[in-house]
């Protein structure tokens, strides 16, 4: 479909039908269609290769668009088509396969194609920069994919695909099996670790190596410290040795500075990192190196999944269970699921690695859609940590710690060991309450959870970021008896010191690590043994390696486990195992003590007795009974408006439209209901949950439904969006 111009423009008529070239352009506007344009009149002979940027008139504006294809006939009358104003690139920024991937992702996540493409590009390429100082593919220079690279170890599958696949396919097709010669030691392009790989690592490497050159997804299910990263490194070394490129996606880079060092120090070639905290110039340069093929390893966060890589031969998604891999606003894609689709499009293996795989991923492995590789033991001498539940009902607590836990801590400290305490709540106290009248703080954004922070003193809304001064007297009854309820990490740190006067305590959370370099400094201090007790939030769960820690205490288990989201038990179990996995990574075995008031809970029992695998089996049974993912597929339709009822009314109308579609008997719409945090920043939010047993059916329905929703009458100030495979239900 093309933009319909109201004016007749005599200049825009093509000269002769035989020579008509119609350019299909993706424009960054909230519409799902491409727009047809005619080439500029004065165009020097240009090759209309998809992937070049064009400057186009759009309404009264001028926008940067992306050429997606060339056709001979438009559905629009030629006379109505406008001309492209200028051609911005000589060489395509994105290859056909990249455009196909983006087209698929835009369709799957129900996001406007132009917006999807332009969020995938680095910021310096989104705007009009006619004479960009460094064009991504410099003039006269061919892409290195065309220079003869070193002979590949393995042949690539057929890789050219037409751009914009309009029918979204489910992202998880099955790969085929095939025998390849086994992995040989020393075949790593000369890069070796200082130890022998264990048999499980060799099996994993052999299996993945045998899939080079074709699509095959792997789940590398290995306990923390089992040597997963070592497996990645050895395989990437092979990819680099064969002159090809590897892509490693991680949930966060800033939190794990060691990881990057480990890759760069062990691997030859050029490693570049890509994440949004980079300086714009570094990001632009790294993106270009990736796109040109000079970077042999790209290590990036979720948006790096779209970076062009002309010789991509292996994708790794590390910590694949991590919710940070899903974009939570705008173009809400899952970098993990897009990665699987990308591997399929370029015909290469993909490794999803985790000690605590997402239930969706485990389910795919159980159904043999993914080849399931297991590293059940810790590498080297390290022993697995021992988990135990500590019933704190009716127990006296000091600083939130039971007597038993305090005694265990004292023993470890006396033995010269380190301790980690996990409390997933920042700030000093989660509630400030008036003891006289019961007043509690509430943010003007509607969030009732104002957290008290003392350094510096303020009441802080963790939801919208507003900070308010701490009142000295109750704003309601003027009483001076304001009390702090509950405990965050700041308070824990303060109360812990008098209990362990000899110990040096470090707190690691997003407040204590605000300053640049502070996280690195704290992590190093812990690793060097300068700290005896480290306490913090889930930042501690992120792949750090603290060999001296022998005891981990988890303090607020119950609150996390019973949060109001069907994924809360899964998330909590993953946190427990990940936090526990930080302990005893060297020779000394670690123990993990979980304080709880519900020690009999079946999911906790499963986790304790059968580990994460046992927990996952029990939780998967519950999901099956409740018809929740991975046994059903979900999509959320969200709406927000300034008027309280407008959002709900829109969703009611949407639900009525859903009931009228062909597949309505397969689709269940629940709601609409106000969102759990219904009123945010002056707007009212509501949502409608859609559930369906089959993914392709849900996809067909959503596509159709979306086109109906786009035509619905609504006020300009009402916003709506879709979230496919939502991770957070609010
Ligand atoms: P994961 O990524 O699964 O947490 P790593 O790859 O980081 O595990 O390995 C944990 C530690 O064990 C690292 O210090 C690593 O160098 C070491 N290691 C890995 N493989 C072996 C092996 N086969 N023998 C001895 N040590 C190993
Ligand atoms: Zn607020």
């Amino acid at each position: 479909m093309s933009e319909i111009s109201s004016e007749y423009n005599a200049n825009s008529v093509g000269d002769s039908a035989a020579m008509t070239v119609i350019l299909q352009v993706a424009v960054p506007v909230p519409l799902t269609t491409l727009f047809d344009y005619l080439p500029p009149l004065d165009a020097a002979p240009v090759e209309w290769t998809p992937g070049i940027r064009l400057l186009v008139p759009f309404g009264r504006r001028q926008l940067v668009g992306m050429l997606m294809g060339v056709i001979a006939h438009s559905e629009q009358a030629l006379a109505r088509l406008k001309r492209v104003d200028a051609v911005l690139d000589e060489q395509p920024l994105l290859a056909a396969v990249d455009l196909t991937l983006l087209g698929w992702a835009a369709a799957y996540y129900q996001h406007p194609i132009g917006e999807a493409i332009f969020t995938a590009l680095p910021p310096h390429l989104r705007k009009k920069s006619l004479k960009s100082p460094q064009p991504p593919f410099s003039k006269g220079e061919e892409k290195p994919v065309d220079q003869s690279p070193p002979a590949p170890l393995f042949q690539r599958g057929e890789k050219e695909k037409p751009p914009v696949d309009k029918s979204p396919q489910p992202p998880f097709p099955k790969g085929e099996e095939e025998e390849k010669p086994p992995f040989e030691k020393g075949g790593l392009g000369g890069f070796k670790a200082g130890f022998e790989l264990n048999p499980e690592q060799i099996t994993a490497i052999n299996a993945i190596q045998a899939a080079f050159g074709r699509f095959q997804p792997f789940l590398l299910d290995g306990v923390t410290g089992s040597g997963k990263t070592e497996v990645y490194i050895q395989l990437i070394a092979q990819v680099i040795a064969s002159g090809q490129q590897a892509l490693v996606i991680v949930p966060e880079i800033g939190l794990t500075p060691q990881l990057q060092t480990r890759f760069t120090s062990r691997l030859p070639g050029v490693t570049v990192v890509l994440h949004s905290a980079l300086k714009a110039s570094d990001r632009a340069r790294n993106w270009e190196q990736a796109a040109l093929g000079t970077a042999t390893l790209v290590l990036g966060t979720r948006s790096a999944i779209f970076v062009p890589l002309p010789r991509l031969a292996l994708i790794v998604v590390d910590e694949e269970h991590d919710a940070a891999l899903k974009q939570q606003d705008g173009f809400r894609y899952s970098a993990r699921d897009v990665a699987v689709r990308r591997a399929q499009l370029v015909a290469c293996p993909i490794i999803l690695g985790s000690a605590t795989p997402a239930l969706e991923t485990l389910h795919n492995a159980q159904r043999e859609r993914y080849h399931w590789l297991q590293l059940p033991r810790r590498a080297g001498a390290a022993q697995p940590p021992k988990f135990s539940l500590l019933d704190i009902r009716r127990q006296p607590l000091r600083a939130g710690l039971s007597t038993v836990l305090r005694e265990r801590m004292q023993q470890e400290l006396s033995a010269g060991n380190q301790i980690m305490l996990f409390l997933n709540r920042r700030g000093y106290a989660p509630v400030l309450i008036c003891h006289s009248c019961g007043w509690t703080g509430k943010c003007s954004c509607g969030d009732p959870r104002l957290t008290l922070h003392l350094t510096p003193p303020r009441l802080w809304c963790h939801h919208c970021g507003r900070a308010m001064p701490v009142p000295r007297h109750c704003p309601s009854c003027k009483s001076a008896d304001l009390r702090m309820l509950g405990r965050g990490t700041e308070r824990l740190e303060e109360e812990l010191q008098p209990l362990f006067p000899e110990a040096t305590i470090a707190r690691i959370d997003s407040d204590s690590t605000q300053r640049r370099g502070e996280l690195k400094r704290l992590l190093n201090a812990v690793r060097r043994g300068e700290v005896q007790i480290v306490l913090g939030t889930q930042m501690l769960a992120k792949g750090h390696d603290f060999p001296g820690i022998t005891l981990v205490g988890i303090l607020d288990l119950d609150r996390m486990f019973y949060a109001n989201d069907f994924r809360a038990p899964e998330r909590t179990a993953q946190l427990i195992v990940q936090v526990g996995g930080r302990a005893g990574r060297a020779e000394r075995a670690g123990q993990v003590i979980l304080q709880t008031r519900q020690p009999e809970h079946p999911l906790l029992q499963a986790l304790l007795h059968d580990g994460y695998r046992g927990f996952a089996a029990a939780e998967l049974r519950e999901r099956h009974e409740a018809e929740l993912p991975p046994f059903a597929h979900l999509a959320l339709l969200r709406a927000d408006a300034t008027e309280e009822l407008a959002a709900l009314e829109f969703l009611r109308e949407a639900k009525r439209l859903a009931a009228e579609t062909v597949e309505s008997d397969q689709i269940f719409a629940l709601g609409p209901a106000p969102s759990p945090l219904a009123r945010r920043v002056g707007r009212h939010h509501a949502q409608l949950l859609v559930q369906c047993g089959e993914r392709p059916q849900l996809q067909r329905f959503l596509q159709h439904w979306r086109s109906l929703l786009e035509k619905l009458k609504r006020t300009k100030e009402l916003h709506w969006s879709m979230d496919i495979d939502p991770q957070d239900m609010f």
Side-chain angles (χ1 to χ4, degrees):
M1 195 198 290
S2 290
E3 191 200 14
I4 298 172
S5 142
S6 54
E7 322 143 35
Y8 175 72
N9 182 347
N11 294 331
S12 67
V13 185
D15 304 318
S16 86
M19 287 172 60
T20 311
V21 165
I22 290 156
L23 306 173
Q24 290 193 297
V25 183
V27 182
V29 292
L31 294 164
T32 42
T33 50
L34 299 177
F35 297 89
D36 294 351
Y37 286 91
L38 294 167
L41 271 181
D42 59 344
V46 182
E47 237 192 281
W48 297 111
T49 320
I52 60 175
R53 290 172 309 152
L54 304 169
L55 201 58
V56 297
F58 193 88
R60 291 188 187 154
R61 294 180 291 168
Q62 197 179 40
L63 295 175
V64 178
M66 176 71 70
L67 180 62
M68 301 297 287
V70 180
I71 49 174
H73 300 284
S74 174
E75 287 171 23
Q76 303 298 312
L78 275 187
R80 288 177 166 271
L81 296 186
K82 293 187 183 174
R83 285 192 185 278
V84 164
D85 288 331
V87 178
L88 298 180
D89 303 304
E90 293 183 3
Q91 300 281 335
L93 293 181
L94 298 171
V97 69
D98 304 319
L99 294 174
T100 307
L101 182 70
L102 280 160
W104 173 83
Y108 183 83
Y109 293 104
Q110 301 294 329
H111 198 73
I113 173 77
E115 287 188 351
I117 287 177
F118 283 87
T119 40
L121 286 179
H124 74 291
L125 295 174
R126 292 177 200 167
K127 290 175 303 253
K128 151 180 142 183
S129 48
L130 245 178
K131 296 278 171 279
S132 67
Q134 269 183 304
F137 301 116
S138 1
K139 287 169 196 168
E141 189 186 319
E142 287 288 286
K143 283 201 269 175
V145 69
D146 299 328
Q147 298 168 347
S148 45
L153 267 183
F154 30 79
Q155 287 299 314
R156 308 291 303 274
E158 178 62 26
K159 128 174 190 183
E160 293 303 304
K161 296 262 165 60
V164 190
D165 179 355
K166 289 216 165 148
S167 56
Q169 299 292 317
F172 314 115
K174 202 180 143 123
E176 344 80 60
E177 288 298 329
E178 183 181 309
E179 285 301 316
K180 285 272 172 77
F183 171 70
E184 288 169 43
K185 269 184 267 167
L188 305 175
F191 291 84
K192 296 193 187 70
F195 43 73
E196 297 270 305
L197 294 171
N198 61 41
E200 290 89 1
Q201 285 174 315
I202 292 178
T203 304
I205 291 173
N206 280 341
I208 298 162
Q209 183 191 243
F212 276 143
R214 68 185 163 87
F215 171 61
Q216 166 93 64
F218 293 90
L219 166 59
L220 185 58
D221 174 6
V223 299
T224 47
S226 61
K228 295 185 293 295
T229 311
E230 199 55 43
V231 169
Y232 309 149
I233 288 176
Q234 307 253 351
L235 288 161
I236 293 166
Q238 292 184 49
V239 167
I240 294 173
S242 72
Q244 307 198 55
Q245 293 175 294
L247 172 62
V248 176
I249 302 286
V250 294
E252 276 135 325
I253 283 186
L255 295 182
T256 51
Q258 317 115 281
L259 187 72
Q260 193 185 331
T261 320
R262 211 168 144 194
F263 279 109
T264 46
S265 66
R266 293 281 306 283
L267 291 167
V270 181
T271 297
V272 298
V273 293
L274 278 176
H275 54 90
S276 52
L278 281 184
K279 263 195 301 178
S281 55
D282 291 342
R283 193 165 166 189
R285 193 197 55 232
N286 291 355
W287 194 90
E288 271 168 30
Q289 288 192 319
L292 285 166
T294 46
T296 47
L297 169 60
V298 173
L299 178 61
T301 51
R302 91 189 148 227
S303 63
I305 194 54
F306 293 114
V307 70
L309 294 159
R311 289 173 291 140
L312 179 59
L314 176 68
I315 304 177
V316 174
V317 180
D318 194 26
E319 309 292 0
E320 65 82 34
H321 63 278
D322 199 307
L325 291 169
K326 175 100 196 261
Q327 171 94 16
Q328 294 291 14
D329 51 27
F331 183 17
R332 294 168 181 263
Y333 61 93
S334 153
R336 175 195 63 209
D337 295 349
V338 172
V340 173
R341 180 67 177 173
R342 182 165 188 179
Q344 187 190 31
L345 286 172
V346 304
C348 77
I350 174 166
I351 311 171
L352 307 179
S354 179
T356 53
L359 294 184
E360 282 89 348
T361 306
L362 270 181
H363 186 60
N364 277 320
Q366 280 163 357
R367 291 191 301 167
E368 296 178 3
R369 288 179 158 209
Y370 294 173
H371 187 140
W372 195 349
L373 298 165
Q374 304 185 17
L375 305 179
R377 300 180 288 142
R378 284 190 162 186
Q383 298 295 307
K386 290 190 185 63
F387 290 85
S388 56
L389 287 180
L390 186 57
D391 184 356
I392 56 168
R393 284 174 297 185
R394 296 179 298 278
Q395 297 295 312
L397 301 177
R398 286 180 70 189
L401 310 175
S402 64
T403 316
V404 176
L405 181 55
R406 288 201 310 275
E407 283 170 5
R408 294 290 308 121
M409 289 172 68
Q410 199 57 65
Q411 283 169 20
E412 294 300 320
L413 289 177
S414 310
N417 295 330
Q418 289 172 297
I419 294 160
M420 186 158 103
L421 294 179
F422 178 76
L423 177 66
N424 207 12
R425 179 175 251 160
R426 301 148 55 199
Y428 193 84
V431 180
L432 183 69
I433 190 165
C434 171
H435 197 58
S436 302
C437 77
W439 170 92
T440 58
K442 186 175 177 199
C443 180
S444 52
C445 79
D447 193 322
R449 299 170 299 180
L450 276 183
T451 301
L452 177 69
H453 289 242
L454 289 187
T455 48
R458 61 193 160 169
L459 279 176
W460 195 3
C461 173
H462 289 179
H463 184 258
C464 76
R466 274 195 193 86
M468 286 140 267
V470 181
R472 291 165 165 269
H473 299 275
C474 171
S476 170
C477 76
K478 308 284 177 266
S479 158
D481 194 0
L482 290 173
R483 299 196 181 176
M484 298 173 283
L485 298 186
R487 180 181 293 102
T489 44
E490 203 180 317
R491 185 174 194 173
L492 177 62
E493 183 183 23
E494 184 187 293
E495 294 175 344
L496 209 55
Q497 194 67 73
L499 294 178
F500 301 96
E502 313 285 291
T504 305
I505 299 176
R507 169 163 65 97
I508 296 186
D509 57 30
S510 49
D511 301 315
S512 74
T513 55
Q514 282 276 309
R515 252 191 309 141
R516 212 183 175 75
E518 190 63 9
L519 176 65
K520 209 167 181 168
R521 193 186 68 77
L522 287 170
L523 292 176
N524 283 335
V526 178
R527 252 196 310 278
R528 282 198 298 262
E530 295 159 11
V531 165
Q532 280 77 53
I533 304 176
V534 52
L535 65 95
T537 58
Q538 56 175 324
M539 275 179 106
L540 289 176
K542 306 280 178 182
H544 308 298
D545 199 353
F546 300 131
I549 287 181
T550 51
L551 174 64
V552 176
I554 295 182
L555 304 186
D556 58 348
L557 174 68
D558 297 334
R559 186 176 60 82
M560 292 187 290
F561 216 74
Y562 300 105
N564 182 20
D565 185 317
F566 76 87
R567 284 195 176 83
E570 177 185 359
R571 296 261 160 77
T572 309
Q574 288 165 342
L575 265 174
I576 292 169
V577 175
Q578 294 285 348
V579 172
R582 305 304 126 213
R585 281 168 67 97
E587 290 70 32
R588 285 169 289 191
Q591 28 165 341
V592 183
I593 294 182
L594 296 95
Q595 293 196 151
T596 177
R597 291 181 182 85
Q598 307 214 351
E600 282 96 30
H601 193 282
L603 287 176
L604 277 183
Q605 288 293 333
L607 182 63
L608 233 71
H609 296 295
D610 310 312
Y612 183 75
R613 195 67 62 69
F615 162 83
E619 179 65 2
L620 276 168
R621 278 193 297 277
E622 298 216 342
R623 295 269 188 96
H624 190 241
E625 266 172 30
E627 292 181 57
L628 285 168
F631 302 97
H633 306 282
L634 300 179
L636 264 184
L637 177 63
R638 292 192 173 87
D640 63 88
T642 48
E643 266 176 72
E644 191 163 0
L645 291 176
L648 282 170
E649 261 162 33
F650 172 82
L651 295 176
R652 265 185 219 115
E653 187 63 14
K655 187 175 180 175
R656 199 185 54 73
L657 285 176
E660 286 174 4
T661 60
V662 193
E663 297 183 312
S664 60
D665 56 328
Q666 321 285 337
I667 305 283
F668 299 92
L670 298 132
S675 305
L677 294 173
R679 191 161 175 273
R680 275 178 256 162
V681 219
R683 295 182 70 84
H684 295 269
H685 294 247
Q687 61 191 33
L688 181 66
L689 182 66
V690 175
Q691 185 242 42
C692 179
E694 299 297 327
R695 200 190 292 274
Q697 240 162 32
L698 178 61
Q699 278 292 316
R700 275 197 304 274
F701 163 76
L702 290 173
Q703 216 174 0
H704 180 56
W705 194 35
R706 184 182 180 96
S707 67
L708 298 177
L709 293 178
E710 280 176 355
K711 286 177 210 131
L712 257 189
K713 264 221 177 81
R714 60 183 171 89
T715 56
K716 267 260 177 319
E717 60 86 29
L718 182 135
H719 302 155
W720 60 272
S721 64
M722 281 189 187
D723 186 354
I724 315 305
D725 307 329
Q727 289 298 305
D728 273 320
M729 302 311 271
F730 47 89

